[in-house]
Amino acid sequence: SQQGEEDPQALSIQEGENATMNCSYKTSINNLQWYRQNSGRGLVHLILIRSNEREKHSGRLRVTLDTSKKSSSLLITASRAADTASYFCATGGYSGGGADGLTFGKGTHLIIQP
Amino acid sequence: EAGVAQSPRYKIIEKRQSVAFWCNPISGHATLYWYQQILGQGPKLLIQFQNNGVVDDSQLPKDRFSAERLKGVDSTLKIQPAKLEDSAVYLCASSFDSGTPHEQYFGPGTRLTVT
């Protein structure tokens, strides 16, 4: 079963606007990761936020994490056509040396209109 | 640095046939994963290797799927016999076990179509 659920499932915005997508998960986590997938570059890691962090930035990306609500958000500022892709949140990824496979949500499909 | 390599990129087979996928992880990455991604869904973990040992295969349909990682480097995932519902993209990923939460590096995937 899928741990994370992204919202919305699809999002279409104009180039230059900001895009926000959300992720909710069910069980307690050690960290949460966001990945991007497009046909050109495959599945690529964007950012990792640990459970003791509330916010993290990387270039035009801003991720927040609220462990009390079991939710995370990804903000992409000043969107570009190249940001058109599917975005997935993933949980798991570290358990102190044991099984650390990721559990992905269904993703948000983002379309940037020129 | 070279990324995760996978082959073939595409494969079409008939149901009940067998198929094998190959993965070469990033050099120095001890951990290797196989994921299955069905159209419209996120990837689902099938199996995780640490060097040449299996760490987690709880979601691997063992009646038809098998995987090995001989010598702790390359890995092969096999399906025998294939079913229509096995149509998906099979992604291989690797990671460097740093002892802290870390990202995974994904290959381009093998798109399997079962007819």
Side-chain angles (χ1 to χ4, degrees):
Chain A
S1 63
Q2 313 226 276
Q3 155 89 302
E5 290 288 336
E6 290 89 345
D7 171 61
Q9 291 187 359
L11 179 62
S12 180
I13 61 173
Q14 295 295 122
E15 193 167 15
E17 294 181 336
N18 296 341
T20 300
M21 52 206 86
N22 304 295
C23 167
S24 60
Y25 56 92
K26 298 174 183 173
T27 62
S28 60
I29 60 170
N30 176 280
N31 69 92
L32 185 144
Q33 302 180 35
W34 285 89
Y35 285 79
R36 178 182 64 207
Q37 186 175 42
N38 58 32
S39 58
R41 294 197 59 192
L43 193 62
V44 175
H45 178 265
L46 295 176
I47 198 163
L48 181 153
I49 186 166
R50 302 188 187 202
S51 59
N52 62 354
E53 298 176 306
R54 291 297 167 257
E55 188 171 311
K56 202 162 183 180
H57 297 253
S58 176
R60 294 183 296 113
L61 306 180
R62 172 178 165 252
V63 168
T64 62
L65 179 64
D66 187 335
T67 54
S68 65
K69 295 181 179 178
K70 292 186 169 59
S71 67
S72 174
S73 67
L74 170 67
L75 168 67
I76 303 173
T77 60
S79 63
R80 305 168 181 170
D83 294 328
T84 293
S86 291
Y87 291 81
F88 297 92
C89 67
T91 57
Y94 183 71
S95 62
D100 60 3
L102 294 170
T103 301
F104 288 84
K106 292 186 177 182
T108 291
H109 186 52
L110 175 64
I111 297 174
I112 308 300
Q113 306 279 4
Chain B
E1 86 189 338
V4 176
Q6 290 188 246
S7 68
R9 293 295 309 277
Y10 305 91
K11 190 74 177 179
I12 301 174
I13 62 172
E14 296 181 351
K15 60 184 178 184
R16 292 187 290 273
Q17 288 187 324
S18 62
V19 64
F21 313 127
W22 172 84
C23 172
N24 180 245
I26 292 173
S27 177
H29 282 192
T31 308
L32 184 147
Y33 314 80
W34 284 101
Y35 291 84
Q36 178 193 57
Q37 186 175 21
I38 293 173
L39 185 65
Q41 298 184 21
K44 171 189 167 186
L45 178 71
L46 293 176
I47 189 167
Q48 175 190 346
F49 291 95
Q50 182 80 15
N51 295 307
N52 60 349
V54 175
V55 175
D56 182 5
D57 63 356
S58 58
Q59 299 187 91
L60 186 73
K62 299 180 186 65
D63 57 333
R64 299 184 299 106
F65 287 65
S66 65
E68 60 182 11
R69 191 184 183 196
L70 301 176
K71 301 180 182 178
V73 182
D74 294 6
S75 177
T76 302
L77 177 70
K78 297 180 181 178
I79 307 175
Q80 181 179 11
K83 293 185 176 181
L84 296 177
E85 58 260 38
D86 298 331
S87 293
V89 176
Y90 291 84
L91 296 165
C92 179
S94 69
S95 69
F96 177 72
D97 186 5
S98 62
T100 59
H102 47 265
E103 64 185 281
Q104 295 180 15
Y105 296 82
F106 285 81
T110 296
R111 183 178 298 275
L112 173 67
T113 302
V114 182
T115 63

